[in-house]
Amino acid sequence: MSPTASVVVSSQANQAFRHPESKQSIRVSELISALSYALDITEGRPMGHSVRSCLLGMRIAGQLGLPVEAKADLYYTLLMKDAGCSSNSSRLYHILNADDIRAKGDVKTTDWTKVGWESLHYAITHVATEMPFAERVWRLIQVAATQQRDSCELVKIRCERGSSIARKLGFSESVAEGIHSLDEHWNGEGYPSGLKNKEIPLASNLANLAQTLEVFWAARGPEAAIEAAETRSGRWFDPQLVHAAKSLAKEGQLWIRLDSQELITEVMSQEPAEGRLTADDATIDNICLAFADIIDAKTPFTFQHSNGVADAAVLIGKAFGMPQGEVNKLRRAALLHDIGKLGVSNAILEKPGKLTAEEFAEVRKHPYFTYEILRRIPAFADFSTDAAAHHEKLNGKGYWRGISGDEISQPARILAVADVFDALSAKRPYRDALPLEKVFSIMREEAPQALDWPCLAALMEAKPF
Ligand SMILES: [Fe+2]
Ligand SMILES: [Fe+2]
């Protein structure tokens, strides 16, 4: 990406986010940085990984003296770099026959391009880990035989999906390209296109360096992070970028405030003022829709689930005569209610048999993650508790808090009914959609012990098909 090209592209793009800034304006950086916590848990990283990578990348960009337009595009490339992450989780699980989140998390500290003990150890500790020895060995041989093709396929799915989400949201072509080429390597041995040297967009190579620095910083400390960058300089990264990172580290400027409790405020202050993006109501809805797609892409079983829950919840809300503002809020809560599921391994979500107690305990955490992600966004904070209460039951036997009766708000009751309704009525890869009468008869049995009867009655009355 040449700085000139970026100027041209940026002046025409990111238009979806350009609104006059006022005291009430919602900054896109605030929304995306908080939602990036969901991308972090999908990738097996601690929450805050994307935001910290963004801080590191922007500091290196400052050291390089990049023009402001390039910095604005880089900023959103860094925050959205993992937008496609959920789309290959299922495929990765089926290739490895093991925990995709653990595999994704650990691959970041593995130099998998070098054949040797490091990549062999990774394979041994991440492939078919729960299978009997003989099956495991056979699986390892299969994985080794198709490793290059599979890695390319996984990166391709992820980068195409990520860049398409960026385009759909209205980010510039530079942001989309930056995300698309994140896994290209300086020596031409990366994926998906084998781009080399300056063929790789600067934002991609910088984002790759920044994420590597963050991962090693978090796992092994600053010295190990610089060592990892140096070892991969000229192979993975443009040596000039590594040099700039090293200079900053030497001056004591690279790592500052990475452990701040106010990470989102910190990263918002790094958005170039000239390219600052704000969101109106329609844009916020668009961002919710994009993240609903990211959530639903995690497994083939949840195809369009978040949208289905949103449609049903809106029907109930309208039947209750809720004001339009409340209905809009309910819809956003429904679109994002399962965002915490991104932190649950596909080995559990797609397990064909019954879950063990430990596995079910993992599933029960997902509404808590939903709360943790949404509560950080001031515009979403007031519905974060309701969104996270979609598995609570009136009899107190739900999760994650086990609240009951009047402790469960009306929006939360609506979401619970909409969630069960969509789960039962949607078509699944292993079965057809249940007929409406069957869905409602199952739900009628559950209410009044678990589900709210007036919500269910309103949904049945609204005839959702
Ligand atoms: Fe859920
Ligand atoms: Fe759900």
Side-chain angles (χ1 to χ4, degrees), residues 305 337-338 390 419:
H305 171 66
H337 76 283
D338 268 340
H390 66 274
D419 187 53

Side-chain angles (χ1 to χ4, degrees), residues 91-307:
R91 182 79 187 103
L92 179 62
Y93 156 62
H94 287 286
I95 290 171
L96 298 182
N97 260 286
D99 187 331
D100 55 296
I101 292 186
R102 193 172 147 253
K104 280 179 172 223
D106 291 348
V107 79
K108 299 260 176 26
T109 47
T110 308
D111 192 346
W112 49 269
T113 54
K114 274 181 167 174
V115 178
W117 168 243
E118 206 179 350
S119 44
L120 180 66
H121 179 259
Y122 177 84
I124 291 171
T125 50
H126 293 84
V127 174
T129 46
E130 304 293 314
M131 283 185 169
F133 181 72
E135 272 180 65
R136 249 187 105 191
V137 172
W138 174 236
R139 197 74 207 125
L140 269 165
I141 293 168
Q142 286 177 315
V143 167
T146 55
Q147 187 258 327
Q148 270 210 323
R149 197 186 64 212
D150 288 340
S151 300
C152 188
E153 184 200 340
L154 288 167
V155 170
K156 201 164 182 282
I157 297 172
R158 182 184 193 284
C159 69
E160 282 177 359
R161 179 78 181 205
S163 54
S164 127
I165 289 169
R167 283 189 190 100
K168 236 162 100 181
L169 277 171
F171 282 111
S172 74
E173 196 50 31
S174 299
V175 174
E177 282 175 13
I179 295 168
H180 191 273
S181 300
L182 179 70
D183 288 304
E184 299 291 356
H185 289 173
W186 192 246
N187 61 4
E189 291 179 17
Y191 299 123
S193 310
L195 300 180
K196 201 173 180 178
N197 299 353
K198 299 285 181 191
E199 289 170 352
I200 306 170
L202 174 62
S204 307
N205 206 236
L206 222 168
N208 195 355
L209 172 62
Q211 70 175 5
T212 304
L213 287 168
E214 195 284 334
V215 166
F216 277 88
W217 173 84
R220 300 179 195 168
E223 274 136 43
I226 290 295
E227 196 190 318
E230 271 181 327
T231 316
R232 299 174 191 194
S233 178
R235 288 193 301 120
W236 287 35
F237 311 125
D238 178 348
Q240 265 190 311
L241 305 185
V242 177
H243 180 76
K246 277 168 65 182
S247 306
L248 274 172
K250 219 180 216 171
E251 292 161 18
Q253 295 302 308
L254 190 59
W255 312 111
I256 48 169
R257 297 188 295 282
L258 282 193
D259 51 5
S260 162
Q261 290 300 306
E262 303 296 331
L263 263 184
I264 292 178
T265 314
E266 196 69 48
V267 84
M268 283 172 70
S269 73
Q270 292 301 310
E271 185 181 14
E274 299 83 342
R276 194 167 280 182
L277 306 178
T278 51
D280 64 1
D281 264 351
T283 313
I284 298 171
D285 286 338
N286 234 354
I287 292 174
C288 291
L289 276 169
F291 274 82
D293 283 351
I294 294 171
I295 299 160
D296 292 349
K298 173 93 166 136
T299 75
F301 303 89
T302 46
F303 176 64
Q304 291 188 332
H305 171 66
S306 304
N307 276 288

Side-chain angles (χ1 to χ4, degrees), residues 1-10 66-67 69-70 73 174 177 198 200-203:
M1 178 184 68
S2 75
T4 328
S6 174
V7 173
V8 174
V9 170
S10 294
L66 291 193
E69 296 80 5
D73 285 333
S174 299
E177 282 175 13
K198 299 285 181 191
I200 306 170
L202 174 62

Side-chain angles (χ1 to χ4, degrees), residues 321-358:
M322 277 181 156
Q324 192 56 45
E326 293 304 302
V327 173
N328 291 348
K329 224 190 281 178
L330 185 65
R331 182 166 177 270
R332 289 175 185 170
L335 287 171
L336 300 173
H337 76 283
D338 268 340
I339 197 164
K341 237 181 197 174
L342 290 168
V344 183
S345 160
N346 283 56
I348 295 175
L349 295 177
E350 294 188 55
K351 185 175 173 177
K354 203 169 177 277
L355 297 184
T356 64
E358 294 81 49

